[in-house]
Amino acid sequence: MTVKKDSMARAAKFGYMNATDAADYLVAKGIPFRDCHEIIGKMVFYAIQKGVALDDLTMEEFKSFSELFDEDIYEAISIVNCIKAKKSEGSTSFESVKKQLESLASE
């Protein structure tokens, strides 16, 4: 298997895998998840129409969807931080993927 890091990074960024983390960010600010789902859905649609990733939006653009967004949103939705936050077995975390690969290599 050949891993193409650039292709993987682009797919993660433009696959909007960090949308759930953006919703979790707003939930932590007190917005019910059902409302966050709607807000983030609109943001993803906006970003797709604009041809950018969520983390490429300006703070002004974030705030146009919710005034609760602050500068720390960029850290909360960075792809690396999103991957690290996934802790369950079989998840996409670096540690979990390494474990899965080691398990497959030993078969």
Side-chain angles (χ1 to χ4, degrees):
M1 178 171 96
T2 302
V3 176
K4 297 180 180 178
K5 290 182 182 181
D6 291 342
S7 295
M8 288 176 60
R10 181 168 174 72
K13 185 171 180 146
F14 286 94
Y16 301 95
M17 70 168 268
N18 55 356
T20 302
D21 300 270
D24 291 342
Y25 174 90
L26 290 177
V27 166
K29 300 272 185 163
I31 299 178
F33 184 80
R34 67 182 172 279
D35 296 335
C36 296
H37 185 273
E38 182 179 349
I39 292 166
I40 302 305
K42 288 177 181 178
M43 284 178 56
V44 169
F45 181 74
Y46 173 82
I48 290 169
Q49 297 292 67
K50 195 172 174 188
V52 299
L54 287 180
D55 53 339
D56 292 330
L57 297 176
T58 66
M59 184 50 54
E60 183 177 294
E61 288 170 311
F62 274 107
K63 290 217 179 257
S64 74
F65 292 97
S66 173
E67 283 297 319
L68 294 178
F69 283 116
D70 208 346
E71 290 293 331
D72 61 342
I73 185 61
Y74 295 108
E75 183 176 336
I77 65 169
S78 85
I79 298 299
V80 170
N81 287 342
C82 292
I83 292 168
K84 286 180 180 178
K86 308 301 184 251
K87 300 289 184 190
S88 63
E89 188 169 333
S91 72
T92 57
S93 73
F94 297 112
E95 182 179 298
S96 181
V97 171
K98 182 179 177 186
K99 237 171 116 174
Q100 292 171 57
L101 290 172
E102 287 171 351
S103 173
L104 288 170
S106 67
E107 291 182 359

